[in-house]
Amino acid sequence: MFEGGVGAMWPRVDGMRAMELGAPGSMRDELNALVLVGAKRATTGLLGEYAEEDERLETVGERLALLDNAGSAVAVLEITGVEVKAFDEVTWEHAEAEGEGDADLDAWRDVHRRFWSGEGTPVEGDTPVVCLAFEVKGSASAASSPD
């Protein structure tokens, strides 16, 4: 499992690493709204991005600032689970916890493949991904902008 150094590539807010969901714009707005109403309790990222950006994996109990499109914190999240696995090994339990309304695991895979391909990183079945589970621990509306 990759555990790189604590780089400074991802924004920091009040000493916490930041989480920016999806692509900027309406996608991020929608995903953040799902988090804030409690429907979205998980997310999936590419393991390769951690190495590219010199970031270590999140740890259970770590708190992250959830950022909006302006880079302002909208919530504090606490990581409750971290798993590294092949893309094809992501479970329906995790996919469903992402709360994005996918009908089944195949639909979840299709959506994620399209997203990452659109971002320039095609995903295969054996591509390593990081499955994060989290819960909202509070509002961060008074938090400052990222460092």
Side-chain angles (χ1 to χ4, degrees):
M1 176 160 53
F2 173 78
E3 291 190 302
V6 182
M9 295 298 291
W10 291 356
R12 296 330 196 237
V13 176
D14 292 341
M16 295 178 285
R17 285 196 286 174
M19 178 179 284
E20 295 174 296
L21 296 173
S26 62
M27 176 187 279
R28 182 161 299 148
D29 288 339
E30 291 168 17
L31 295 174
N32 284 354
L34 290 171
V35 169
L36 296 174
V37 299
K40 181 171 182 63
R41 303 173 325 278
T43 193
T44 307
L46 298 173
L47 181 61
E49 290 179 352
Y50 288 78
E52 290 169 12
E53 299 181 15
D54 195 27
E55 285 287 345
R56 63 179 168 78
L57 291 176
E58 291 82 356
T59 58
V60 172
E62 180 178 1
R63 291 192 174 204
L64 306 175
L66 179 65
L67 301 187
D68 65 12
N69 284 304
S72 298
V74 295
V76 174
L77 307 179
E78 184 172 304
I79 300 298
T80 59
V82 180
E83 290 185 293
V84 176
K85 56 181 60 181
F87 180 73
D88 278 353
E89 294 175 1
V90 174
T91 65
W92 172 240
E93 178 182 45
H94 177 80
E96 188 175 38
E98 287 200 6
E100 298 170 27
D102 296 306
D104 56 32
L105 196 50
D106 287 335
W108 179 90
R109 287 184 179 131
D110 288 344
V111 167
H112 283 73
R113 277 194 171 105
R114 279 196 310 275
F115 172 74
W116 283 317
S117 287
E119 295 290 306
T121 308
V123 173
E124 302 298 329
D126 61 350
T127 300
V129 296
V130 180
C131 298
L132 297 175
F134 55 81
E135 53 189 46
V136 176
K137 284 299 185 179
S139 167
S141 57
S144 59
S145 296
D147 297 337

